[in-house]
Amino acid sequence: MELYLISLMTVAALNVMLAVGLNMISGFCGQISLGHAAFYGLGAYAAALAAVAGGPFIGNLLIGVAVAALIGFFVGIISLRVREDFLAIATMGVGFLFLGFVRKQDWLGAEMGISRIPAPPLDRTSFAVLCVGLAAAIVALSLHIGRSWMGRTLNAVAQDEDAARTIGVNVPRFKLAAFTIGTAAAGLAGGLYAYMTQLIVPDAFNFIQSVTILAMVVIGGIGSTWGAVAGAIILTLMPEAFRFINDYKLLVYGALLLVVMRFANGGIAGIANALITRIRS
């Protein structure tokens, strides 16, 4: 039971990293991404290859972060000319491109993926604590950005790019910054995932995973860091607490998204803010 809870805590921490990273892209900057799992996979594959080659634990994680951030930067450059629905389709294409590539490369294990990844130099409890600590660091960074001048600038870009340009905001630079930071967080989660499972396969980073990460952000409250944390934790624990919904997980997630968008488009964070306001008044 203890090992189960430790594993659940580790998975929840990784999902928090993914959700908070995507929230920096979609919530702070208004760039809807449907390919976030591709950067998760890039971090996992890069760290796994480095680990199999005999690299050090921390160095391998940093390689995963760097690869995901670098590809995210270039994808961000390509995506600068598209907005809204077209941007969502473009990022979805990145996800399919990633899957198509890794499934055809023998040096990446093709459909079988990469196995025999060395175990991290930590016991399971210490590894879980490390994941929680790194997730907390990403949350702290997101909160800092959200409260800083950069966060206010990103919000201006999300609200109206043209208006932001008229007041002197370098829109491409801030969009690229958000995309790079968000994908770097996904790369870190991917590297940790590779060490946690010691086996990675392409299907772990498919389109459904991207939609699940987006669901965490939307249900939690897009644009809110604490909302992304809450959404990630809830959608991690829900299938474990209610085992009978495992076979209908996507159906439940879809229903939750419809309810949130119809009755509480601010998500869990919006509901919490409304309650706090009512109590104070």
Side-chain angles (χ1 to χ4, degrees):
M1 185 66 175
E2 182 181 350
L3 288 178
Y4 168 74
L5 292 176
I6 290 171
S7 297
L8 193 59
M9 182 172 68
T10 306
V11 172
L14 299 187
N15 284 337
V16 166
M17 295 182 203
L18 291 168
V20 171
L22 181 58
N23 188 61
M24 292 186 200
I25 299 170
S26 299
F28 286 5
C29 204
Q31 303 178 88
I32 300 301
S33 174
L34 290 175
H36 206 58
F39 304 102
Y40 184 31
L42 282 167
Y45 271 88
L49 288 173
V52 170
F57 175 62
I58 298 298
N60 298 338
L61 291 179
L62 292 176
I63 288 173
V65 171
V67 169
L70 182 63
I71 301 299
F73 177 80
F74 284 112
V75 171
I77 291 175
I78 296 170
S79 303
L80 286 176
R81 294 184 177 274
V82 291
R83 300 185 191 180
E84 299 174 352
D85 297 344
F86 296 102
L87 176 61
I89 294 170
T91 53
M92 182 168 59
V94 171
F96 290 135
L97 183 63
F98 167 77
L99 287 178
F101 178 78
V102 297
R103 282 174 172 160
K104 297 297 181 183
Q105 304 301 312
D106 291 335
W107 62 283
L108 293 176
E111 290 286 357
M112 301 300 293
I114 300 176
S115 60
R116 299 181 181 178
I117 299 169
L122 301 167
D123 59 51
R124 291 193 178 186
T125 302
S126 300
F127 184 76
V129 171
L130 173 65
C131 291
V132 171
L134 291 172
I138 290 174
V139 170
L141 175 63
S142 177
L143 289 170
H144 174 70
I145 291 174
R147 294 166 182 165
S148 69
W149 61 269
M150 182 179 178
R152 291 190 287 272
T153 305
L154 289 173
N155 184 60
V157 172
Q159 295 297 323
D160 191 326
E161 286 187 23
D162 296 327
R165 283 192 181 91
T166 61
I167 59 174
V169 174
N170 188 331
V171 172
R173 185 176 72 177
F174 283 95
K175 291 175 75 172
L176 284 175
F179 220 98
T180 303
I181 295 171
T183 53
L188 177 59
L192 292 167
Y193 173 82
Y195 271 107
M196 179 186 75
T197 60
Q198 297 180 262
L199 166 69
I200 54 173
V201 293
D203 281 343
F205 314 105
N206 58 18
F207 178 66
I208 292 175
Q209 180 65 32
S210 290
V211 173
T212 301
I213 300 168
L214 183 61
M216 293 174 184
V217 174
V218 174
I219 291 171
I222 192 164
S224 167
T225 299
W226 289 118
V229 173
I233 293 174
I234 288 172
L235 264 64
T236 301
L237 298 181
M238 186 184 294
E240 302 299 324
F242 305 100
R243 289 300 182 105
F244 64 90
I245 73 168
N246 258 328
D247 293 335
Y248 309 98
K249 187 162 60 175
L250 293 179
L251 181 64
V252 172
Y253 290 173
L256 282 173
L257 283 171
L258 287 173
V259 170
V260 167
M261 296 305 293
R262 174 61 182 86
F263 298 105
N265 57 13
I268 295 169
I271 295 171
N273 288 334
L275 288 174
I276 291 171
T277 301
R278 180 171 295 183
I279 290 170
R280 286 176 176 175
S281 63

